[in-house]
Amino acid sequence: AQKITQTQPGMFVQEKEAVTLDCTYDTSDPSYGLFWYKQPSSGEMIFLIYQGSYDQQNATEGRYSLNFQKARKSANLVISASQLGDSAMYFCAIRVYSGGGADGLTFGKGTHLIIQP
Amino acid sequence: DAGVTQSPTHLIKTRGQQVTLRCSPKSGHDTVSWYQQALGQGPQFIFQYYEEEERQRGNFPDRFSGHQFPNYSSELNVNALLLGDSALYLCASTLVGGYTIYFGEGSWLTVV
C-alpha cells in the first residue's frame, strides 16, 4: 500500500514570498507518479503538477516546481512569488503503475496555505 | 473544452435512503474514478471505471456501486445511507495510459 505524509497542517506566508510545501511518500513499487492539487473552498481539485518516478528532471509548471528527491522519497511543491489567490488547501498524491494499469490516487491530509498581504 | 462535470452540486438525504451522483468526464477521456472526501481529510479512492467495467476498487463497502456508460459518463450509487457518508464526492477523469488526472467540482452530500 502507498502512503503520503504532509507534515504541515497549516502555513502563513507573506505575499510575494516563495513557499515550500512538504510531501514524503512511501511505496515499494518502482513505477509511480506524484501529483500536487490545489483545492479552494469551492471544493474543486485543481491539478498543478506531475512528476513521474523515472523522470530525470524536476517538473515545472509556471510558478510551480516540484523538488523531487527520490532517494529520500520526497516530493516538495515550491510556489514562487506567492499571490493572494494561492490561499487554499494543497494535496500531495501518489499513483502506482503496475500490471499494465494504474491504481487510484492516494492522498495526504493536505496543507492549508494562507497568503497574507 | 469542457472539463469534468458533476451533478448535483449539493443534496441532502435521510439515513437509509439511496443516492445517485453523476459525472461526465473531460472531453477525450475514457477512464473515470470516484473519490470520497470527508471534512478535513484528503480524498479516498472509491473505484475506477474503464470500458464500462469496474477496474479497481478502494476499501469501500458494497453499498457503494457504480456504472460507466458507452459515452464514458459515470454514476456513483450509495445505498442504505449512513450519517458517515456525508462528504464531498469527487469524480476524476483521465485517458487510459495518460498521467494527467482532472477532477470535477464535486457533489456535496449531507445525510441527516
Side-chain angles (χ1 to χ4, degrees):
Chain A
Q2 289 67 243
K3 186 178 180 181
I4 292 285
T5 302
Q6 295 182 254
T7 58
Q8 306 153 309
M11 288 185 70
F12 288 87
V13 174
Q14 288 296 120
E15 190 181 7
K16 299 182 183 177
E17 288 184 351
V19 182
T20 297
L21 304 181
D22 295 340
C23 171
T24 57
Y25 61 92
D26 188 26
T27 181
S28 57
D29 287 274
S31 182
Y32 53 88
L34 294 155
F35 300 73
W36 276 94
Y37 286 89
K38 172 184 178 181
Q39 187 177 44
S41 57
S42 61
E44 182 183 5
M45 298 288 279
I46 301 169
F47 169 76
L48 296 179
I49 198 166
Y50 169 86
Q51 180 84 43
S53 59
Y54 295 116
D55 293 343
Q56 295 297 311
Q57 293 190 325
N58 287 344
T60 60
E61 290 284 352
R63 294 187 300 114
Y64 304 106
S65 61
L66 199 152
N67 184 2
F68 181 46
Q69 298 188 41
K70 195 170 182 178
R72 297 179 59 186
K73 293 191 173 180
S74 169
N76 297 341
L77 176 70
V78 179
I79 306 174
S80 64
S82 59
Q83 302 170 356
L84 295 178
D86 293 333
S87 295
M89 284 293 293
Y90 287 80
F91 290 95
C92 179
I94 187 170
R95 189 185 202 197
V96 168
Y97 305 104
S98 61
D103 292 357
L105 291 167
T106 298
F107 284 85
K109 292 187 175 182
T111 295
H112 189 192
L113 176 64
I114 297 175
I115 307 298
Q116 297 175 312
Chain B
D1 179 18
V4 181
T5 58
Q6 292 186 242
S7 64
T9 52
H10 294 82
L11 69 167
I12 300 173
K13 290 287 188 177
T14 304
R15 267 185 310 173
Q17 284 189 318
Q18 180 262 348
V19 68
T20 297
L21 307 178
R22 295 174 177 82
C23 172
S24 292
K26 182 177 171 63
S27 178
H29 285 184
D30 56 8
T31 303
V32 173
S33 299
W34 288 90
Y35 293 80
Q36 180 196 66
Q37 186 178 18
L39 202 61
Q41 301 294 319
Q44 299 286 319
F45 173 69
I46 303 175
F47 43 53
Q48 179 183 91
Y49 276 84
Y50 170 65
E51 290 186 332
E52 302 179 47
E53 289 187 8
E54 183 183 297
R55 297 291 178 168
Q56 194 190 26
R57 189 179 185 92
N59 189 23
F60 278 81
D62 292 345
R63 297 188 297 110
F64 290 77
S65 63
H67 189 79
Q68 186 180 33
F69 299 94
N71 66 352
Y72 307 120
S73 67
S74 177
E75 288 182 350
L76 165 65
N77 300 292
V78 187
N79 295 323
L81 284 167
L82 304 174
L83 296 179
D85 294 332
S86 295
L88 175 65
Y89 288 85
L90 292 161
C91 174
S93 76
T94 187
L95 189 61
V96 68
Y99 68 81
T100 310
I101 303 172
Y102 291 96
F103 282 80
E105 294 190 4
S107 294
W108 294 88
L109 171 65
T110 301
V111 182
V112 296

